[in-house]
C-alpha cells in the first residue's frame, strides 16, 4: 500500500480535483464565491431559538435580566477574581459562554431593548425564530455578513462540513443557517448569493450595501466556455445542481471528506444548461417547500380524536411504524389519534447528512424539554402562531412530495463529461 502525494493511504483523493476552482478561497479571488463561512453558533440554542416569537421574547428577556443581575452583583462586591467563583451558575437563570464571560469582565451590560427575531433554518425543513440580539449569539458572523436588514432575495447553499462524520450533502435556504443544519461534527459551510458591507464611521451609506458574492473571475471563466449569456445566477444554480450529482459525489467522495467542494466545468453548453436548470428547480423546491402540494397520503383517524383542530393535529413525538431495528417507513404514528399510511419507499432516498428528509421531520417535530434550562421547545407553537392547524401533518406530505421530485431531478442529471 502506497500513500499519494497528500499522504492518503486509503480513500485517496482524485489528483485532478485540485485543478478545479474551490467554492471560496482567501487568495487571489480565483474561486466561485467571494466569501463563505459557517452558520451561526449560539452556545445557547434553547434560549435564542424558538418556534414561538412570544416564547423567544420571554427567554431572551430572562437571559438578559439574569446576566445584568449577575454583573451588578459581581461589581457591587468589588469585582473579585476569579469572577467565575462569584457568579450564579444556575442554568435555569443564565447560560454562560466564553463570550458572555468576556463581556462581564469588561463590565458591559446587555441592552434590555427588544431586538426582534428572524427566521432561521435550524435543521432541514425546520424553521424557527432566532433573536436579532447578536450579543447573545456566540458566533453571529453569518448574520452580520449575509443577513443584514431585510435581506430580501438572499439565498445560499449550506453544505455539511468537511471532516464531518455524516455523508456529504447540501441544501439551499433563504433563512439564517445554524452551524449544524444537517448534523453534528464539524460545522457546515454557507455560501450566500450576496453579502453585505460593514458600516463604520467612514461609510458613504446609511444602510449596508448588498454585494454580489459570485466572483467576476468566475463569471469571466464561465462566459469564455459557455457563452456571453451566462449570468451569475446561472453559476449559482449550476453549482447547486452539480453538488447534487451522484456521479460527482461518488467520484470525489474522498476529497469531499477533507476539503471544500471544488467545481469542475462540464463539457458543452447543453450539459451546463441542464445542470443550471436542475439547480434552479431544486432551489425553488427546497426553499418553497412550505407551498408544495402535499403528496396524497392516507390519514387513519380515531373516532376519539378531538374536534378542536389544533388539538387533533398536535404532536408530542412521532415515530415510524414497526419497531426499532425494523421500522416500517411507509407508516407514521403521528399522535394518539392519527396514523399516516402510504408513504412511498422511494421518498426515503433523499438524504441530508445521515437522515432522509422525512427522518428530519420525525426527529425535529416533537416536544422537547432542555434538561439544563427547563425551556420547552414545542413545534405546535409554530402551527398556532401561523394559524395553520395542519402545518406539521401537511409538512409530512410536502416533504414526501419534495423528496420524490428531488430524486427524480437528481436521477435525471446528465453525466459530468469533464474536459
Amino acid at each position: 500500500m502506497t500513500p499519494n502525494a497528500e499522504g492518503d493511504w486509503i480513500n485517496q483523493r482524485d489528483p485532478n480535483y485540485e485543478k478545479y476552482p474551490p467554492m471560496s478561497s482567501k487568495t487571489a479571488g480565483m474561486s466561485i464565491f467571494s466569501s463563505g463561512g459557517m452558520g451561526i453558533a449560539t452556545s445557547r440554542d434553547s434560549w435564542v431559538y424558538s418556534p414561538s416569537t412570544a416564547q423567544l421574547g420571554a427567554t431572551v428577556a430572562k437571559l438578559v435580566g439574569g446576566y445584568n443581575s449577575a454583573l451588578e452583583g459581581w461589581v457591587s462586591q468589588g469585582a473579585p477574581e476569579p469572577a467565575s467563583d462569584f457568579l450564579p451558575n444556575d442554568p435555569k437563570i443564565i447560560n454562560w459562554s466564553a463570550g458572555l464571560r468576556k463581556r462581564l469582565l469588561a463590565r458591559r451590560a446587555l441592552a434590555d431593548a427588544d431586538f426582534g427575531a428572524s427566521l432561521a433554518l435550524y435543521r432541514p425543513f425546520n424553521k424557527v425564530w432566532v433573536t436579532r440580539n447578536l450579543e447573545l449569539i456566540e458566533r453571529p458572523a453569518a448574520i452580520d455578513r449575509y443577513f443584514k436588514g431585510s435581506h430580501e432575495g438572499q439565498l445560499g447553499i449550506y453544505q455539511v462540513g468537511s471532516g464531518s462524520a455524516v455523508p456529504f450533502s447540501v441544501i439551499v435556504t433563504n433563512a439564517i443557517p445554524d452551524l449544524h443544519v444537517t448534523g453534528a461534527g464539524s460545522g457546515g459551510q454557507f455560501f450566500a448569493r450576496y453579502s453585505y458591507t460593514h458600516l463604520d464611521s467612514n461609510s458613504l451609506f446609511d444602510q449596508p450595501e448588498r454585494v454580489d458574492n459570485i466572483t467576476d473571475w468566475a463569471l469571466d471563466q464561465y462566459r469564455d466556455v459557455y457563452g456571453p449569456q451566462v449570468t451569475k445566477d446561472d453559476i449559482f444554480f449550476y453549482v447547486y445542481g452539480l453538488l447534487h450529482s451522484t456521479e460527482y459525489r461518488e467520484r470525489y467522495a474522498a476529497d469531499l471528506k477533507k476539503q471544500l467542494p471544488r467545481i469542475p466545468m462540464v463539457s458543452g453548453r447543453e450539459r451546463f444548461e441542464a445542470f443550471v436548470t436542475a439547480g434552479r428547480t431544486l432551489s425553488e423546491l427546497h426553499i418553497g417547500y412550505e407551498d408544495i402540494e402535499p403528496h396524497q397520503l392516507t390519514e387513519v383517524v380515531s373516532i376519539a380524536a378531538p374536534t378542536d383542530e389544533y388539538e387533533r393535529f398536535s404532536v408530542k413525538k412521532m415515530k415510524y411504524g414497526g419497531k426499532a431495528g425494523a421500522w416500517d417507513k411507509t407508516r407514521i404514528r403521528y399522535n394518539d389519534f392519527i396514523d399516516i399510511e402510504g408513504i412511498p419507499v422511494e421518498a426515503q432516498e433523499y438524504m441530508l447528512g445521515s437522515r432522509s428528509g422525512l427522518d428530519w421531520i420525525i426527529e425535529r417535530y416533537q416536544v422537547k424539554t432542555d434538561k439544563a434550562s427547563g425551556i420547552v421547545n414545542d413545534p405546535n407553537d409554530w402551527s398556532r402562531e401561523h394559524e395553520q392547524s395542519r402545518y406539521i401533518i401537511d409538512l409530512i406530505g410536502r416533504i414526501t412530495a419534495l423528496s420524490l421530485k428531488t430524486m427524480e431531478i437528481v436521477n435525471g442529471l446528465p453525466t459530468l463529461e469533464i474536459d
Side-chain angles (χ1 to χ4, degrees):
M1 190 178 292
T2 305
N4 62 13
E6 288 77 23
D8 300 328
W9 288 83
I10 60 174
N11 298 323
Q12 294 188 352
R13 285 169 272 188
D14 188 316
N16 294 317
Y17 190 71
E18 293 295 328
K19 298 188 302 184
Y20 311 138
M23 293 277 276
S24 67
S25 173
K26 295 180 180 179
T27 60
M30 297 175 65
S31 61
I32 305 300
F33 294 88
S34 295
S35 68
M38 290 184 167
I40 61 172
T42 75
S43 289
R44 51 184 64 84
D45 287 4
S46 61
W47 291 88
V48 298
Y49 282 124
S50 178
S52 162
T53 52
Q55 177 175 299
L56 180 62
T59 55
V60 165
K62 183 177 180 180
L63 181 61
V64 169
Y67 169 85
N68 286 338
S69 178
L71 172 62
E72 183 180 348
W74 177 65
V75 171
S76 69
Q77 295 178 67
E81 296 285 354
S84 57
D85 290 346
F86 300 89
L87 298 177
N89 199 31
D90 185 349
K92 288 183 168 55
I93 296 176
I94 189 168
N95 183 303
W96 291 105
S97 63
L100 272 190
R101 288 190 177 93
K102 183 178 179 180
R103 186 180 188 88
L104 180 131
L105 292 175
R107 305 190 187 192
R108 294 167 56 205
L110 286 170
D112 292 324
D114 180 8
F115 286 78
S118 288
L119 281 176
L121 187 69
Y122 188 66
R123 296 293 182 266
F125 315 118
N126 176 218
K127 285 181 182 175
V128 293
W129 298 106
V130 66
T131 180
R132 291 295 301 191
N133 186 343
L134 303 191
E135 297 168 340
L136 299 178
I137 298 175
E138 194 75 356
R139 286 188 286 174
I143 297 178
D144 191 50
R145 186 180 298 173
Y146 302 123
F147 289 92
K148 286 186 176 178
S150 67
H151 54 264
E152 184 178 353
Q154 178 68 296
L155 73 164
I157 300 170
Y158 173 94
Q159 67 137 109
V160 65
S162 303
S164 176
V166 301
F168 177 83
S169 63
V170 292
I171 187 168
V172 71
T173 181
N174 58 357
I176 298 165
D178 183 71
L179 179 64
H180 297 298
V181 171
T182 52
S186 57
Q189 294 286 318
F190 182 69
F191 300 94
R193 180 64 186 83
Y194 303 98
S195 61
Y196 290 84
T197 57
H198 180 72
L199 294 179
D200 56 33
S201 58
N202 297 318
S203 297
L204 297 176
F205 305 98
D206 58 2
Q207 294 292 326
E209 183 182 5
R210 192 172 81 166
V211 180
D212 209 308
N213 200 33
I214 301 289
T215 65
D216 292 337
W217 176 87
L219 183 62
D220 289 342
Q221 297 293 308
Y222 279 74
R223 283 182 170 174
D224 284 347
V225 174
Y226 302 120
Q229 82 288 343
V230 174
T231 67
K232 290 187 175 183
D233 276 346
D234 290 337
I235 297 173
F236 180 89
F237 294 123
Y238 168 78
V239 170
Y240 195 55
L242 184 78
L243 294 180
H244 277 83
S245 165
T246 302
E247 181 184 355
Y248 173 89
R249 293 186 183 188
E250 291 177 351
R251 180 184 297 188
Y252 303 118
D255 302 273
L256 292 170
K257 287 180 178 294
K258 299 177 174 72
Q259 59 177 294
L260 291 176
R262 288 179 173 267
I263 308 300
M265 298 174 74
V266 295
S267 176
R269 175 172 166 177
E270 184 177 345
R271 183 172 277 101
F272 166 74
E273 290 181 347
F275 277 102
V276 172
T277 299
R280 191 184 300 273
T281 304
L282 287 169
S283 294
E284 292 171 353
L285 190 66
H286 296 165
I287 287 177
Y289 68 89
E290 292 171 301
D291 299 319
I292 297 172
E293 184 66 27
H295 186 82
Q296 191 65 43
L297 301 173
T298 301
E299 298 175 14
V300 181
V301 184
S302 165
I303 58 173
T307 55
D308 180 85
E309 288 201 345
Y310 288 99
E311 291 183 31
R312 174 181 291 227
F313 297 117
S314 68
V315 295
K316 291 182 179 177
K317 184 175 183 179
M318 293 182 282
K319 66 177 183 177
Y320 287 115
K323 57 183 179 180
W327 294 117
D328 176 4
K329 293 193 173 184
T330 67
R331 297 188 296 118
I332 291 175
R333 181 63 171 168
Y334 182 78
N335 60 22
D336 291 341
F337 317 107
I338 301 174
D339 289 332
I340 298 173
E341 299 178 349
I343 300 171
V345 175
E346 296 80 9
Q348 297 292 342
E349 295 177 7
Y350 175 48
M351 301 295 291
L352 288 154
S354 57
R355 292 186 173 99
S356 71
L358 284 171
D359 289 344
W360 281 114
I361 303 303
I362 297 290
E363 196 276 334
R364 289 310 312 165
Y365 286 86
Q366 59 175 288
V367 179
K368 288 185 177 180
T369 300
D370 181 64
K371 291 182 179 179
S373 66
I375 295 172
V376 177
N377 180 83
D378 187 347
N380 301 295
D381 289 342
W382 180 277
S383 301
R384 292 182 180 277
E385 189 167 273
H386 288 79
E387 299 182 346
Q388 297 179 38
S389 60
R390 290 185 54 91
Y391 180 85
I392 299 173
I393 197 167
D394 282 344
L395 188 60
I396 295 171
R398 290 189 167 105
I399 300 308
T400 299
L402 176 146
S403 300
L404 295 171
K405 182 61 177 177
T406 295
M407 294 314 300
E408 178 186 330
I409 295 170
V410 169
N411 292 333
L413 288 171
T415 56
L416 297 186
E417 297 294 329
I418 301 168
D419 291 332

